[in-house]
Amino acid sequence: MARPRRRADLHPGRGPYDVSGPEHAVQHFWRQLVTTPIDTEAERARLEATLLVDTVRITRPTGAPQLDLSTGLLGPMPAEVVYEGQGAVLSGHGQVTAQHVLGREWLDDTVSWYRLLTPISAPVPVRYDRVEVVAAAGEHAATVNRVWQVLDPSEASTVEIVRVTRLDEVTPP
């Protein structure tokens, strides 16, 4: 069966059997993606150097807070430090910024607004762990002295460049 001819006035300068349009671009991209190996170690080093520039602390609750009899308020939650080191907390806007820095989208949209990024060498946070930014590299960062709670265990993948954990901000009463 013959392929239908394109109207010459709609596609000037093209032959009747030229392939154009987005399907051609997708095929070309897929061919490059499949045949171009990814150097995960180089990508990991690049990501850690450009995005994981803050110091984060992950703590795990170890018991119940004690009641302060003089004030009638609960005291601080006893917790142990699980990890303190290189990392970043990104909001939805921060994920868009990271996309521009890295030149490609690498985090999909999520229901939770914040994500914790830590090196693969960091321990895997578990649900209800607390996350704080101890020191921010940016002078205008609004993440210091704020607290987030881990919603789910870290996301898993067969090819991991950085550990990604979903967070929810803990707002004071």
Side-chain angles (χ1 to χ4, degrees):
M1 183 166 155
R3 187 172 171 183
R5 293 183 179 260
R6 297 179 187 260
R7 288 183 38 194
D9 60 331
L10 292 178
H11 303 284
R14 298 200 165 181
Y17 299 104
D18 287 347
V19 177
S20 64
E23 65 278 356
H24 181 67
V26 169
Q27 289 171 358
H28 178 70
F29 171 76
W30 183 250
R31 206 172 310 116
Q32 276 188 321
L33 182 66
V34 172
T35 59
T36 307
I38 298 173
D39 184 357
T40 55
E41 289 303 317
E43 289 295 321
R44 184 176 297 130
R46 181 174 165 220
L47 186 69
E48 289 179 5
T50 55
L51 287 179
L52 305 185
V53 294
D54 298 334
T55 303
V56 298
R57 179 184 300 137
I58 303 171
T59 57
R60 185 163 297 146
T62 57
Q66 298 298 315
L67 179 64
D68 184 349
L69 297 175
S70 61
T71 63
L73 300 173
L74 290 177
M77 175 77 73
E80 66 177 344
V81 175
V82 176
Y83 172 77
E84 185 167 335
Q86 188 178 14
V89 173
L90 296 181
S91 67
H93 174 71
Q95 294 171 27
V96 171
T97 303
Q99 177 181 345
H100 290 291
V101 169
L102 296 174
R104 66 180 151 281
E105 186 173 335
W106 59 280
L107 288 177
D108 289 333
D109 207 6
T110 178
V111 174
S112 60
W113 186 248
Y114 295 95
R115 287 193 181 192
L116 169 67
L117 307 179
T118 53
I120 296 296
S121 60
V124 176
V126 298
R127 187 174 300 203
Y128 307 120
D129 279 358
R130 298 277 177 124
V131 175
E132 304 172 61
V133 176
V134 178
E139 61 184 84
H140 300 293
T143 54
V144 178
N145 297 326
R146 291 168 74 177
V147 179
W148 293 267
Q149 182 173 313
V150 173
L151 292 177
D152 294 315
S154 177
E155 296 176 5
S157 176
T158 56
V159 178
E160 290 187 333
I161 304 294
V162 67
R163 193 172 311 286
V164 180
T165 307
R166 296 177 185 184
L167 303 174
D168 191 23
E169 187 167 11
V170 177
T171 54

